[in-house]
Amino acid sequence: MLCDICHKKIATVHLTEIVEGKVMELHICQDCAKNKAEELKQQLNISDFLGGLTLEGEDNKSMSIKCSFCGTTFYDFKKKGRLGCAKCYTHFKSQLLPLIKKIHGSNEHKGKLPKKVEEKVIVDRNLKILKERLERAVKLEAYEDAAKLRDEIRELEKKVRKED
Amino acid sequence: MFESFFENKKSWLSSEGPDSDIVISTRIRLARNIEGYPFPNRATLAQKNQVFLKVGEAYPKIEHLDSAFFLPMESIDDLDRQFLLERHLISQEHMHYPRGKGLILSRSEVVSIMINEEDHLRMQVIVSGFDLVKAWRIINKIDDEISTYLLFSFSPEIGYLTSCPTNVGTGLRASCMLHLPALVMTKRVDKILELLAKLSFTTRGLFGEGTQALGNFFQISNQVSLGMSEEEIMDSLAGVVKQVKEQELNARENLLKRYLPTLEDSVWRAWGILKCCRLISTKEALSHLSMLRLGVDLGIIKEVGKDIINRFFIMIQPAHLQKIEGKVLKEEERDYIRAELIREKLS
Ligand SMILES: [Zn+2]
Ligand SMILES: [Zn+2]
């Protein structure tokens, strides 16, 4: 997509602005974004440039939510575009999740796990994968596979219960 | 410091590896944070030092890193920091604000770990050519090993937790650096970059600030880091990079078939200027070197090797020139030395 301002460069910054009550989407290039940032410094802040976010629940209440570990408020995050610590993800969960979904199109980690992670996390992940496969097997009417998968799931669930 | 890097024949500059005529290098970085400490933007200097020391205890146990440099950024002088930036081993932010920051750097320059940049750890592997598989194999192993010594901030739902939510999930950013002179000459590059942006890939010029692509180098990276596995992210990047590479090859063929005199003229003029100039800026040198590189790729010029030109792209940068000369140089002095260096190597 080309920049809405200069029509020459690639738009990499996506803004949502409210102009006279109407929602306007603006797709602009880095250079024009810089100029625009200067121009709108008073009204906009950096986090608006982060993946073009209009944040959900932007009322005063959510702005003053504070992370008890690092002291970052949601307002600080909005201003700087940076979270203060890992716990911020818990404290701002209801504001952050929709935002994350907007940026990545998903809220679900499908990548690797760290080596040092609780056993339960790994088991949960495996269970989830097995259940997805079971569902697929049933849909495909591959009953033999489905039976095998069901056994594996039971086995795993038994293990979890024992550990609890 | 780092003088030995001039001798590194196998670094990402070596013009070896798959498809290295167009894809110069492949880089993968992982963002990680250590549990129990605020992210660098919120951490006190004392907390940053603790993170630095914790990483310092862990790295020597890791293969590839046992003989690495482990340095506070403040112990590296301005010129050397600029030198590392020019070699793509640290970021702008890491260079400009060294306080509380650290660096682990393998002697081969393949692995670099920035400590207390935007996240506690920014681990990077950079290899020559189009080789996501190799880069991933190296960085994945380092990540696995280091995560047995350090507890990373991780959520089973949304993955590795990062200072900026744009990196959350895998914390992975994979990028390929492409040389696309024919697509620029045939004015098709904008269209292609536009399409990539729609597919959620980021492209930017490699040298210089902003979007201007000096030397016709472009870096293509994934934007999405959550909701896909590392392999899926890399596969999708590999797919688009392959497409762009094919487009560039087509454009080159087209130039050869239809515009040979113009093409030859541009290439030989670049050669002429580089061989005769007495003063040349980085910007001008990059644009002629790009044409020269194209000329070599297409067999128009046979007098010089690709690896030499590849090295030029880095050697002519300001900090490199000053390290080669062993002294601080003013801009005009650099332009003179740069011209001299290029002439010398091309004769
Ligand atoms: Zn623009
Ligand atoms: Zn926090």
Side-chain angles (χ1 to χ4, degrees):
Chain A
M1 177 184 330
L2 285 181
C3 171
D4 286 339
I5 294 176
C6 67
H7 302 289
K8 282 187 186 127
K9 291 175 198 152
I10 301 301
T12 50
V13 177
H14 310 284
L15 291 174
T16 312
E17 273 191 286
I18 301 195
V19 182
E20 293 164 24
K22 271 190 202 150
V23 179
M24 303 274 291
E25 289 207 352
L26 200 56
H27 308 282
I28 56 181
C29 72
Q30 293 287 336
D31 292 351
C32 293
K34 251 184 226 158
N35 296 337
K36 194 148 178 72
E38 285 304 316
E39 189 187 304
L40 299 178
K41 223 171 200 168
Q42 305 307 316
Q43 306 151 47
L44 283 173
N45 51 55
I46 299 169
S47 69
D48 290 317
F49 287 84
L50 264 173
L53 19 134
T54 337
L55 298 175
E56 317 282 325
E58 268 177 58
D59 45 76
N60 289 335
K61 216 171 100 200
S62 64
M63 285 310 209
S64 58
I65 300 175
K66 195 175 192 169
C67 169
S68 61
F69 183 76
C70 74
T72 299
T73 61
F74 193 66
Y75 177 75
D76 293 334
F77 166 67
K78 260 218 82 178
K79 224 170 53 183
K80 280 203 293 185
R82 298 285 180 276
L83 294 155
C85 75
K87 306 246 175 347
C88 287
Y89 279 95
T90 318
H91 286 100
F92 310 145
K93 192 170 182 180
S94 53
Q95 289 79 21
L96 274 179
L97 280 183
L99 167 63
I100 289 172
K101 177 114 195 204
K102 208 165 202 169
I103 298 171
H104 298 284
S106 164
N107 264 342
E108 190 188 350
H109 180 56
K110 292 197 174 147
K112 68 183 284 192
L113 306 175
K115 287 280 161 195
K116 229 180 174 177
V117 76
E118 300 130 84
E119 190 70 22
K120 194 176 170 307
V121 173
I122 298 172
V123 175
D124 282 353
R125 165 75 77 98
N126 289 341
L127 265 177
K128 200 169 159 249
I129 294 171
L130 285 174
K131 282 178 181 165
E132 277 169 10
R133 277 169 54 191
L134 174 63
E135 214 172 288
R136 215 177 313 141
V138 171
K139 264 189 209 146
L140 294 170
E141 300 184 16
Y143 295 116
E144 226 168 279
D145 291 347
K148 254 187 238 158
L149 286 164
R150 198 194 48 220
D151 291 346
E152 276 182 64
I153 291 170
R154 279 195 190 141
E155 199 61 29
L156 213 53
E157 282 175 335
K158 223 188 286 169
K159 237 200 254 166
V160 179
R161 251 174 275 138
K162 225 183 272 165
E163 274 161 19
D164 287 346
Chain B
M1 230 188 296
F2 310 124
E3 263 67 22
S4 65
F5 287 179
F6 284 111
E7 311 297 321
N8 272 344
K9 297 280 181 272
K10 292 278 172 196
S11 73
W12 63 270
L13 287 162
S14 68
S15 80
E16 287 171 2
D19 301 308
S20 59
D21 47 343
I22 291 173
V23 187
I24 306 296
S25 67
T26 300
R27 160 159 59 176
I28 298 184
R29 75 108 165 96
L30 294 174
R32 300 288 186 253
N33 287 286
I34 299 171
E35 192 60 18
Y37 296 92
F39 297 150
N41 77 77
R42 201 78 192 181
T44 62
L45 189 58
Q47 285 168 323
K48 286 186 204 174
N49 286 336
Q50 283 170 31
V51 167
F52 179 75
L53 292 174
K54 257 182 125 68
V55 180
E57 277 168 32
Y59 89 89
K61 303 175 207 160
I62 289 156
E63 206 193 319
H64 288 292
L65 294 182
D66 42 4
S67 65
F69 291 100
F70 171 63
L71 299 161
M73 285 307 289
E74 279 184 308
S75 73
I76 305 173
D77 68 27
D78 287 355
L79 184 60
D80 276 336
R81 290 206 299 267
Q82 172 85 35
F83 177 75
L84 295 175
L85 178 78
E86 290 174 3
R87 297 181 84 78
H88 303 175
L89 299 170
I90 61 170
S91 65
Q92 292 263 3
E93 190 192 312
H94 220 56
M95 175 183 80
H96 287 308
Y97 309 98
R99 203 166 155 77
K101 295 187 166 79
L103 180 67
I104 294 173
L105 189 54
S106 74
R107 305 263 158 184
S108 63
E109 299 178 79
V110 173
V111 186
S112 74
I113 302 179
M114 288 185 277
I115 306 169
N116 292 323
E117 206 243 25
E118 193 181 292
D119 296 294
H120 292 144
L121 297 180
R122 283 287 177 99
M123 309 190 277
Q124 155 185 306
V125 163
I126 181 164
V127 296
S128 188
F130 185 17
D131 210 342
L132 285 157
V133 174
K134 182 180 176 189
W136 174 245
R137 199 173 55 224
I138 299 171
I139 202 162
N140 187 33
K141 189 152 181 289
I142 291 171
D143 180 48
D144 278 348
E145 285 188 44
I146 211 162
S147 78
T148 62
Y149 304 110
L150 301 170
L151 182 62
F152 289 147
S153 296
F154 177 83
S155 135
E157 290 84 33
I158 53 169
Y160 293 92
L161 303 175
T162 52
S163 168
C164 182
T166 53
N167 295 311
V168 81
T170 56
L172 179 139
R173 181 89 67 236
S175 1
C176 292
M177 192 217 305
L178 282 78
H179 183 224
L180 306 174
L183 286 176
V184 173
M185 284 170 87
T186 54
K187 304 203 162 55
R188 284 168 56 206
V189 80
D190 281 354
K191 269 247 140 53
I192 290 169
L193 298 191
E194 187 184 330
L195 191 71
L196 289 184
K198 275 188 191 145
L199 297 170
S200 283
F201 290 91
T202 316
T203 34
R204 60 179 193 90
L206 179 68
F207 298 111
E209 308 277 313
T211 48
Q212 203 192 1
L214 296 179
N216 304 318
F217 285 102
F218 296 84
Q219 184 174 289
I220 305 178
S221 344
N222 66 299
Q223 223 166 54
V224 169
S225 60
L226 179 68
M228 291 163 92
S229 70
E230 289 84 357
E231 286 77 11
E232 287 169 332
I233 292 172
M234 288 183 292
D235 279 353
S236 69
L237 178 70
V240 299
V241 168
K242 205 162 159 253
Q243 288 286 325
V244 176
K245 187 198 83 187
E246 306 274 304
Q247 297 276 341
E248 169 70 17
L249 284 174
N250 286 344
R252 288 182 185 191
E253 221 157 273
N254 197 24
L255 284 176
L256 278 175
K257 243 190 259 160
R258 295 213 213 151
Y259 304 99
L260 187 60
T262 319
L263 177 65
E264 283 181 326
D265 183 63
S266 309
V267 168
W268 284 111
R269 273 172 192 272
W271 171 255
I273 290 169
L274 291 170
K275 278 199 78 153
C276 299
C277 63
R278 291 297 185 273
L279 285 173
I280 194 164
S281 68
T282 308
K283 196 175 161 184
E284 190 189 353
L286 284 173
S287 85
H288 298 317
L289 283 168
S290 172
M291 288 315 295
L292 186 57
R293 168 87 209 228
L294 179 64
V296 173
D297 283 344
L298 296 177
I300 296 170
I301 288 185
K302 297 190 175 73
E303 285 86 341
V304 57
K306 285 178 199 176
D307 54 324
I308 293 179
I309 305 175
N310 259 15
R311 274 167 214 285
F312 269 151
F313 285 115
I314 300 299
M315 290 300 177
I316 58 154
Q317 310 264 342
H320 274 76
L321 285 179
Q322 295 176 69
K323 274 193 79 85
I324 292 168
E325 288 299 299
K327 60 178 184 218
V328 177
L329 300 168
K330 285 196 238 104
E331 201 175 330
E332 317 85 73
E333 293 174 319
R334 291 203 297 263
D335 289 353
Y336 187 75
I337 302 275
R338 184 177 295 117
E340 198 174 58
L341 178 95
I342 295 173
R343 289 198 323 268
E344 205 175 280
K345 298 263 181 187
L346 288 184
S347 64

